[in-house]
Amino acid sequence: MTSRRIATHTLGCKLNFAETSHLLNQFRMAGWKVVDFNDEADLYVVNTCTVTAVAEKKCRNAIRQAVSANPEALVAVIGCFAQNASAAIAKIEGVDIILGNDRKHRLLEVVGHERPEWFDATSAITPERHAFERPGQPTEFQISYSQEDRTRTFFKIQDGCDYFCSYCAIPFARGRSRSATVEETINIAKEIAAGGAKEVVLTGINTGTFGQDHGENLLQLLQELDKIESIERYRISSIEPNLLTNEVVDFVAHSRAFLPHFHIPLQAGSDKVLKLMHRRYDTAFYAHLLEHIKAVMPDACLAADIMAGFNGEDEATFKETIRYIESLPISYLHVFTFSERPNTAALKMDGRIEIHQRREHSRVLHEISERKKMQFYSEQTGRTRPVLWESDCKDDMMYGFTDNYIRVRRPYNAALVNHITPFVLEKLNQKEEVFDGK
Ligand code: SF4
C-alpha cells in the first residue's frame, strides 16, 4: 500500500501543538507520510482554537484552504472551535470529520471508519462512528508531548479549567481540570528523556492546578521532574498568579533544571476590571509576586498576558492599567483584544467598550510591550547566559534560547546542536530580534 499523506494546521496554544504532534506520531506509526499544509494530501487536519473571534476567523480560513486543496481528500476539524461550534462547522461544505477535544486523539480510528480502504488488513484500526457527533463535555485526559524538535519538547501535563473567568470560553471547550498522577507523568517524562530532548516545556490550560484531581500538586511534580538528570532544562509555559506560590518560585530559583522564565497572565491592571473578569487575585498580589520572583531570580524573564478593551475598561481605568504595567518588572506582554465569546458571563455585563477603543487600547499596550522588551534586552546586554543550540541553520548561523528566553545566534557549528554552552550577549539585532555574541 502506498503511504497516505496527512497535512495539519494548528492554531492556538502550545497544548494544541503538543496534541497535533502526538496525533502525527500515531499516523506516522500507521505508515502515513506527513506533508506540508500547502501540499497535496489525503487527509487535512485543522486543530482549532476558540480563544478569540480572530482565532475563529483564522480557523475558518484554514478549513477553507483545506477544503479547496484536494477534492478527493478528507478534511477533519478538531479541537476547541470544533468542540464549541460543531453545528456551524458542519455547515461548511467539504468538512468530513469534526472531533471535539474529548475525541480528537482518536482521529486515526475515525479516519479508518470513513475510509477503510486506506488501511490494510493488518491495521489495528477499529472503526467507530464519531464524525459529526456533537461532543459532550470533555472528560478524558490524554497525556502527550511534541516530537518534531530534537532539542525542545512541549509536554502536556494538564488539561481543562474550573475557573470560568468571565471572558473565557475555554472551560466549555476543554472541560474541567484534570491530569495524570505524578508517577504517571514522571514515567512519560522519562520516555521524553530517552528520546534525547534537553528542554521540556510544561504545558496545560491551567497548569497550576496539576494534580488536584489526585490529591497531589504541581510542586510535587516539579520536585520529581528535577531529579531526571538527562533533562537539562524545564520551562513552565504559563501559570495563573494565584497558583504560582512562593514555594514554587523558591523551588524554581534553587532547582537544578527549572529556568528563570515565567509567563503569568495578568489580563488587567485595574482591580475593578479584574473583579469583573472573575480573576482570583488583585493588582497588589500580582505586583508582590513579581517583586518576589525578581528578588530571588534577578535576571528572570517575566511575560504577562493582557487583555485590551474588556467591559468597564473606560479611559480612566485604562490609564490606571497603563500606570500599573509601567511600574512592573515585566519583560514583555502578550496582548489580546477582548471579543465576546458564546456562553460566557461577560456577555451579560454592562460597560461594553466600543470596538475602535478596544483596538486603540491594544495598540497602546503593544507599544508598552515593545518598550518593556527593549528595556529587558538592554539590562541583559553584556551578560553571559547558558544557551541551548538548535539544529536549524540559516545563512550559516545557528540559533538558540538563553535560560531567560532571549533568542541568540552564532556561526553554525554542528557539534553544538542540542548542547548548552555559555554565551555572551553582545549586541541586539533589533530588526531580527536576536542577539549576536560569543
Ligand atoms: S484560568 Fe481563566 S482564562 Fe485561563 S483557561 Fe481558565 S477560565 Fe480561561
Side-chain angles (χ1 to χ4, degrees), residues 402-416:
T402 62
D403 55 344
N404 56 352
Y405 208 56
I406 297 172
R407 191 143 179 82
V408 302
R409 69 180 172 192
R410 53 152 292 146
Y412 192 80
N413 175 352
L416 293 183

Side-chain angles (χ1 to χ4, degrees), residues 287-314:
H288 192 73
L289 171 64
L290 264 48
E291 198 182 303
H292 179 65
I293 296 173
K294 280 293 191 184
V296 291
M297 288 170 268
D299 291 311
C301 173
L302 300 178
D305 291 343
I306 187 96
M307 186 170 283
F310 187 70
N311 301 334
E313 191 179 82
D314 56 24

Side-chain angles (χ1 to χ4, degrees), residues 183 208 236 391 427:
E183 194 187 344
I236 304 171
S391 55
K427 194 171 183 326

Side-chain angles (χ1 to χ4, degrees), residues 240-384:
E240 286 295 302
N242 52 304
L243 297 168
L244 185 51
T245 59
N246 282 348
E247 287 77 18
V248 171
V249 171
D250 294 342
F251 173 77
V252 168
H254 300 108
S255 68
R256 176 190 62 85
F258 281 86
L259 301 183
H261 172 206
F262 294 92
H263 178 166
I264 314 166
L266 167 63
Q267 308 303 9
S270 137
D271 286 332
K272 179 186 88 177
V273 177
L274 285 176
K275 231 184 206 152
L276 288 170
M277 289 175 159
H278 299 168
R279 301 290 288 167
R280 302 185 179 203
Y281 52 88
D282 59 17
T283 49
F285 179 93
Y286 191 95
H288 192 73
L289 171 64
L290 264 48
E291 198 182 303
H292 179 65
I293 296 173
K294 280 293 191 184
V296 291
M297 288 170 268
D299 291 311
C301 173
L302 300 178
D305 291 343
I306 187 96
M307 186 170 283
F310 187 70
N311 301 334
E313 191 179 82
D314 56 24
E315 293 317 290
T317 311
F318 185 55
K319 277 197 183 122
E320 201 184 314
T321 282
I322 293 173
R323 274 196 303 273
Y324 177 72
I325 294 172
E326 297 278 17
S327 75
L328 294 175
I330 282 176
S331 317
Y332 63 95
L333 301 167
H334 288 275
V335 182
F336 297 87
T337 304
F338 171 63
S339 61
E340 288 77 2
R341 313 307 301 131
N343 303 319
T344 56
L347 283 179
K348 299 188 192 98
M349 287 178 185
D350 299 331
R352 294 277 173 95
I353 302 302
E354 297 282 344
I355 300 286
H356 72 89
Q357 270 176 302
R358 296 183 200 182
R359 290 204 187 114
E360 175 56 15
H361 291 185
S362 165
R363 189 192 62 75
V364 173
L365 289 167
H366 275 104
E367 260 178 31
I368 295 174
S369 177
E370 227 18 63
R371 244 185 297 126
K372 289 265 179 198
K373 207 183 318 173
M374 290 307 140
Q375 170 74 23
F376 178 60
Y377 286 156
S378 111
E379 287 161 11
Q380 292 296 310
T381 304
R383 302 279 168 90
T384 303

Side-chain angles (χ1 to χ4, degrees), residues 160-171 205-206 240 267 279:
C161 182
D162 302 334
Y163 275 23
F164 291 92
C165 299
S166 62
Y167 53 82
C168 181
I170 286 177
I205 293 294
N206 191 340
E240 286 295 302
Q267 308 303 9
R279 301 290 288 167

